[in-house]
Amino acid sequence: QVQLVESGGGSVQAGGSLRLSCAASGYPFSSYCMGWFRRAPGKEREGVGFIDTDGSTTYGHSVKGRFTISRDNAKNTLYLQMNSLKPEDTAMYYCTAARTIATLGLSGYWGQGTQVTVSS
């Protein structure tokens, strides 16, 4: 079955960087679109970045220019490089997989999440 395991979260000061990873298994990773979402306490879930099977990427407005999503199909791993972190980036970050970009977040395939906390 599909398994997604996030790692790399932690606590960092504003302006710092973190790199999240999502190890995938149980499905043909290279054939699936991948994405990162986040949810902060009391807020709606927010799409952070999406990557298609051809490597094309899309970012949420609030992270564009600061975050970079990438994938390594040989390692079945998704990444999120987060630079210039702000306190408002504090959230639980989740990776997800789907057959199409449009259905990311709807497939039901989610990891357990990794917490990112940014202090000012």
Side-chain angles (χ1 to χ4, degrees):
Q1 69 277 19
V2 173
Q3 283 197 321
L4 301 168
V5 180
E6 301 96 335
S7 61
S11 296
V12 65
Q13 288 195 321
S17 299
L18 283 173
R19 187 197 195 201
L20 306 185
S21 298
C22 173
S25 61
Y27 70 100
F29 179 78
S30 63
S31 299
Y32 275 65
C33 301
M34 299 294 298
W36 289 97
F37 284 80
R38 67 186 182 187
R39 175 168 277 160
K43 294 189 176 181
E44 296 284 323
R45 187 182 69 188
E46 177 186 9
V48 175
F50 308 138
I51 186 165
D52 208 328
T53 54
D54 64 359
S56 57
T57 58
T58 308
Y59 295 95
H61 177 74
S62 62
V63 306
K64 197 175 294 185
R66 299 187 297 122
F67 291 10
T68 302
I69 188 172
S70 62
R71 63 191 300 162
D72 185 334
N73 290 338
K75 295 182 179 179
N76 287 0
T77 302
L78 175 73
Y79 301 101
L80 184 69
Q81 178 67 44
M82 306 186 295
N83 298 329
S84 302
L85 282 161
K86 304 175 180 180
E88 51 263 44
D89 294 318
T90 295
M92 186 72 81
Y93 285 70
Y94 301 89
C95 71
T96 187
R99 280 291 192 177
T100 66
I101 290 290
T103 54
L104 280 170
L106 303 174
S107 67
Y109 299 142
W110 294 96
Q112 83 289 349
T114 186
Q115 178 69 38
V116 171
T117 302
V118 184
S119 58
S120 56

